[in-house]
Amino acid sequence: AGAIGSVVVTPFDVIKTRLQVGEKSGGGLAIARKILAEEGPAGLFRGVTLRLARIPFYTSITLATFDGIKDAFISANNK
């Protein structure tokens, strides 16, 4: 689910980033058209590989943190 969400959101993130760095070409839709014209559809998915590569890392950190906190609460309540 996380990978699918990341792939779906990436084009919007690329457009948002272009807007944030000051590309002023008439708004998000105009930027999307410009990216498609100059870079093709792959231009909208720049960075998707790194976005997908980080999913296992932050998922494992989240699960380890959750388990550690859960164990601490269980041991505190058993005393």
Side-chain angles (χ1 to χ4, degrees):
I4 293 170
S6 291
V7 171
V8 169
V9 169
T10 297
F12 300 102
D13 230 13
V14 169
I15 294 167
K16 175 196 65 138
T17 302
R18 301 270 178 108
L19 284 167
Q20 288 176 334
V21 297
E23 190 170 318
K24 306 279 192 249
S25 53
L29 194 55
I31 290 175
R33 285 188 188 121
K34 182 178 176 187
I35 292 170
L36 286 171
E38 294 177 1
E39 304 172 38
L44 290 172
F45 291 92
R46 281 194 152 179
V48 75
T49 305
L50 290 174
R51 183 184 290 253
L52 292 174
R54 74 178 188 190
I55 291 173
F57 295 109
Y58 70 73
T59 301
S60 60
I61 290 169
T62 300
L63 290 175
T65 303
F66 174 78
D67 282 342
I69 292 171
K70 181 183 77 171
D71 292 343
F73 277 117
I74 289 172
S75 65
N77 287 329
N78 287 337
K79 290 183 179 182

PDB file of all heavy atoms in Angstrom, residues 15 18-20 22-35:
ATOM      1  N   ILE A  15       5.594  18.343  -9.250  1.00  0.00           N
ATOM      2  CA  ILE A  15       5.000  19.632  -9.617  1.00  0.00           C
ATOM      3  C   ILE A  15       5.092  20.615  -8.454  1.00  0.00           C
ATOM      4  O   ILE A  15       5.471  21.774  -8.629  1.00  0.00           O
ATOM      5  CB  ILE A  15       3.539  19.436 -10.068  1.00  0.00           C
ATOM      6  CG1 ILE A  15       3.509  18.638 -11.367  1.00  0.00           C
ATOM      7  CG2 ILE A  15       2.826  20.777 -10.224  1.00  0.00           C
ATOM      8  CD1 ILE A  15       2.140  18.108 -11.738  1.00  0.00           C
ATOM      9  N   ARG A  18       8.629  21.913  -8.116  1.00  0.00           N
ATOM     10  CA  ARG A  18       8.943  22.905  -9.152  1.00  0.00           C
ATOM     11  C   ARG A  18       8.314  24.257  -8.812  1.00  0.00           C
ATOM     12  O   ARG A  18       8.917  25.302  -9.040  1.00  0.00           O
ATOM     13  CB  ARG A  18       8.449  22.439 -10.522  1.00  0.00           C
ATOM     14  CG  ARG A  18       9.045  21.117 -10.975  1.00  0.00           C
ATOM     15  CD  ARG A  18      10.320  21.306 -11.766  1.00  0.00           C
ATOM     16  NE  ARG A  18      10.900  20.029 -12.141  1.00  0.00           N
ATOM     17  CZ  ARG A  18      10.911  19.542 -13.368  1.00  0.00           C
ATOM     18  NH1 ARG A  18      10.392  20.220 -14.359  1.00  0.00           N
ATOM     19  NH2 ARG A  18      11.451  18.373 -13.603  1.00  0.00           N
ATOM     20  N   LEU A  19       7.107  24.228  -8.280  1.00  0.00           N
ATOM     21  CA  LEU A  19       6.470  25.479  -7.861  1.00  0.00           C
ATOM     22  C   LEU A  19       7.247  26.133  -6.714  1.00  0.00           C
ATOM     23  O   LEU A  19       7.416  27.344  -6.670  1.00  0.00           O
ATOM     24  CB  LEU A  19       5.023  25.229  -7.421  1.00  0.00           C
ATOM     25  CG  LEU A  19       4.005  24.991  -8.528  1.00  0.00           C
ATOM     26  CD1 LEU A  19       2.710  24.443  -7.939  1.00  0.00           C
ATOM     27  CD2 LEU A  19       3.741  26.272  -9.289  1.00  0.00           C
ATOM     28  N   GLN A  20       7.728  25.317  -5.773  1.00  0.00           N
ATOM     29  CA  GLN A  20       8.441  25.842  -4.608  1.00  0.00           C
ATOM     30  C   GLN A  20       9.786  26.442  -4.962  1.00  0.00           C
ATOM     31  O   GLN A  20      10.243  27.365  -4.293  1.00  0.00           O
ATOM     32  CB  GLN A  20       8.617  24.743  -3.554  1.00  0.00           C
ATOM     33  CG  GLN A  20       7.340  24.382  -2.857  1.00  0.00           C
ATOM     34  CD  GLN A  20       7.525  23.221  -1.891  1.00  0.00           C
ATOM     35  OE1 GLN A  20       8.406  22.383  -2.049  1.00  0.00           O
ATOM     36  NE2 GLN A  20       6.670  23.166  -0.889  1.00  0.00           N
ATOM     37  N   GLY A  22      10.422  28.060  -7.537  1.00  0.00           N
ATOM     38  CA  GLY A  22      10.243  29.309  -8.243  1.00  0.00           C
ATOM     39  C   GLY A  22       9.936  29.216  -9.710  1.00  0.00           C
ATOM     40  O   GLY A  22      10.007  30.219 -10.415  1.00  0.00           O
ATOM     41  N   GLU A  23       9.615  28.042 -10.207  1.00  0.00           N
ATOM     42  CA  GLU A  23       9.251  27.926 -11.615  1.00  0.00           C
ATOM     43  C   GLU A  23       7.857  28.523 -11.798  1.00  0.00           C
ATOM     44  O   GLU A  23       6.861  27.959 -11.372  1.00  0.00           O
ATOM     45  CB  GLU A  23       9.274  26.462 -12.055  1.00  0.00           C
ATOM     46  CG  GLU A  23       9.145  26.298 -13.543  1.00  0.00           C
ATOM     47  CD  GLU A  23       9.422  24.871 -13.979  1.00  0.00           C
ATOM     48  OE1 GLU A  23      10.372  24.272 -13.464  1.00  0.00           O
ATOM     49  OE2 GLU A  23       8.684  24.393 -14.828  1.00  0.00           O
ATOM     50  N   LYS A  24       7.813  29.671 -12.392  1.00  0.00           N
ATOM     51  CA  LYS A  24       6.549  30.401 -12.558  1.00  0.00           C
ATOM     52  C   LYS A  24       6.089  30.283 -14.005  1.00  0.00           C
ATOM     53  O   LYS A  24       6.473  31.053 -14.861  1.00  0.00           O
ATOM     54  CB  LYS A  24       6.720  31.876 -12.203  1.00  0.00           C
ATOM     55  CG  LYS A  24       7.301  32.103 -10.831  1.00  0.00           C
ATOM     56  CD  LYS A  24       6.236  31.980  -9.765  1.00  0.00           C
ATOM     57  CE  LYS A  24       6.752  32.484  -8.448  1.00  0.00           C
ATOM     58  NZ  LYS A  24       6.958  31.539  -7.447  1.00  0.00           N
ATOM     59  N   SER A  25       5.296  29.283 -14.270  1.00  0.00           N
ATOM     60  CA  SER A  25       4.815  29.147 -15.645  1.00  0.00           C
ATOM     61  C   SER A  25       3.310  28.915 -15.663  1.00  0.00           C
ATOM     62  O   SER A  25       2.804  28.128 -16.427  1.00  0.00           O
ATOM     63  CB  SER A  25       5.558  28.025 -16.366  1.00  0.00           C
ATOM     64  OG  SER A  25       5.491  26.828 -15.625  1.00  0.00           O
ATOM     65  N   GLY A  26       2.591  29.607 -14.798  1.00  0.00           N
ATOM     66  CA  GLY A  26       1.143  29.575 -14.858  1.00  0.00           C
ATOM     67  C   GLY A  26       0.466  28.570 -13.958  1.00  0.00           C
ATOM     68  O   GLY A  26      -0.686  28.259 -14.168  1.00  0.00           O
ATOM     69  N   GLY A  27       1.146  28.034 -12.990  1.00  0.00           N
ATOM     70  CA  GLY A  27       0.509  27.121 -12.060  1.00  0.00           C
ATOM     71  C   GLY A  27       0.861  25.657 -12.307  1.00  0.00           C
ATOM     72  O   GLY A  27       1.642  25.327 -13.196  1.00  0.00           O
ATOM     73  N   GLY A  28       0.254  24.814 -11.498  1.00  0.00           N
ATOM     74  CA  GLY A  28       0.580  23.391 -11.509  1.00  0.00           C
ATOM     75  C   GLY A  28       0.289  22.689 -12.816  1.00  0.00           C
ATOM     76  O   GLY A  28       1.091  21.876 -13.292  1.00  0.00           O
ATOM     77  N   LEU A  29      -0.848  22.980 -13.412  1.00  0.00           N
ATOM     78  CA  LEU A  29      -1.206  22.326 -14.666  1.00  0.00           C
ATOM     79  C   LEU A  29      -0.256  22.724 -15.795  1.00  0.00           C
ATOM     80  O   LEU A  29       0.161  21.881 -16.599  1.00  0.00           O
ATOM     81  CB  LEU A  29      -2.652  22.663 -15.037  1.00  0.00           C
ATOM     82  CG  LEU A  29      -3.284  21.822 -16.132  1.00  0.00           C
ATOM     83  CD1 LEU A  29      -3.200  20.342 -15.800  1.00  0.00           C
ATOM     84  CD2 LEU A  29      -4.734  22.232 -16.325  1.00  0.00           C
ATOM     85  N   ALA A  30       0.129  23.984 -15.820  1.00  0.00           N
ATOM     86  CA  ALA A  30       1.084  24.445 -16.838  1.00  0.00           C
ATOM     87  C   ALA A  30       2.449  23.787 -16.647  1.00  0.00           C
ATOM     88  O   ALA A  30       3.114  23.422 -17.623  1.00  0.00           O
ATOM     89  CB  ALA A  30       1.209  25.959 -16.797  1.00  0.00           C
ATOM     90  N   ILE A  31       2.849  23.625 -15.393  1.00  0.00           N
ATOM     91  CA  ILE A  31       4.131  22.969 -15.116  1.00  0.00           C
ATOM     92  C   ILE A  31       4.064  21.506 -15.536  1.00  0.00           C
ATOM     93  O   ILE A  31       5.007  20.971 -16.121  1.00  0.00           O
ATOM     94  CB  ILE A  31       4.518  23.124 -13.636  1.00  0.00           C
ATOM     95  CG1 ILE A  31       4.895  24.575 -13.363  1.00  0.00           C
ATOM     96  CG2 ILE A  31       5.662  22.196 -13.267  1.00  0.00           C
ATOM     97  CD1 ILE A  31       5.190  24.886 -11.924  1.00  0.00           C
ATOM     98  N   ALA A  32       2.940  20.835 -15.258  1.00  0.00           N
ATOM     99  CA  ALA A  32       2.779  19.443 -15.678  1.00  0.00           C
ATOM    100  C   ALA A  32       2.881  19.321 -17.202  1.00  0.00           C
ATOM    101  O   ALA A  32       3.555  18.415 -17.713  1.00  0.00           O
ATOM    102  CB  ALA A  32       1.446  18.892 -15.185  1.00  0.00           C
ATOM    103  N   ARG A  33       2.236  20.222 -17.904  1.00  0.00           N
ATOM    104  CA  ARG A  33       2.311  20.206 -19.376  1.00  0.00           C
ATOM    105  C   ARG A  33       3.745  20.423 -19.856  1.00  0.00           C
ATOM    106  O   ARG A  33       4.206  19.779 -20.792  1.00  0.00           O
ATOM    107  CB  ARG A  33       1.402  21.279 -19.956  1.00  0.00           C
ATOM    108  CG  ARG A  33      -0.049  20.927 -19.892  1.00  0.00           C
ATOM    109  CD  ARG A  33      -0.883  21.957 -20.670  1.00  0.00           C
ATOM    110  NE  ARG A  33      -2.295  21.726 -20.441  1.00  0.00           N
ATOM    111  CZ  ARG A  33      -3.127  22.603 -19.920  1.00  0.00           C
ATOM    112  NH1 ARG A  33      -2.707  23.811 -19.591  1.00  0.00           N
ATOM    113  NH2 ARG A  33      -4.399  22.311 -19.749  1.00  0.00           N
ATOM    114  N   LYS A  34       4.442  21.358 -19.210  1.00  0.00           N
ATOM    115  CA  LYS A  34       5.826  21.643 -19.591  1.00  0.00           C
ATOM    116  C   LYS A  34       6.728  20.430 -19.347  1.00  0.00           C
ATOM    117  O   LYS A  34       7.563  20.090 -20.183  1.00  0.00           O
ATOM    118  CB  LYS A  34       6.337  22.850 -18.789  1.00  0.00           C
ATOM    119  CG  LYS A  34       7.739  23.267 -19.131  1.00  0.00           C
ATOM    120  CD  LYS A  34       8.161  24.479 -18.340  1.00  0.00           C
ATOM    121  CE  LYS A  34       9.602  24.824 -18.635  1.00  0.00           C
ATOM    122  NZ  LYS A  34      10.094  25.899 -17.772  1.00  0.00           N
ATOM    123  N   ILE A  35       6.544  19.774 -18.209  1.00  0.00           N
ATOM    124  CA  ILE A  35       7.334  18.579 -17.903  1.00  0.00           C
ATOM    125  C   ILE A  35       7.061  17.494 -18.941  1.00  0.00           C
ATOM    126  O   ILE A  35       7.984  16.865 -19.456  1.00  0.00           O
ATOM    127  CB  ILE A  35       7.035  18.066 -16.480  1.00  0.00           C
ATOM    128  CG1 ILE A  35       7.554  19.048 -15.432  1.00  0.00           C
ATOM    129  CG2 ILE A  35       7.656  16.695 -16.253  1.00  0.00           C
ATOM    130  CD1 ILE A  35       7.095  18.751 -14.013  1.00  0.00           C
TER     131      ILE A  35
END
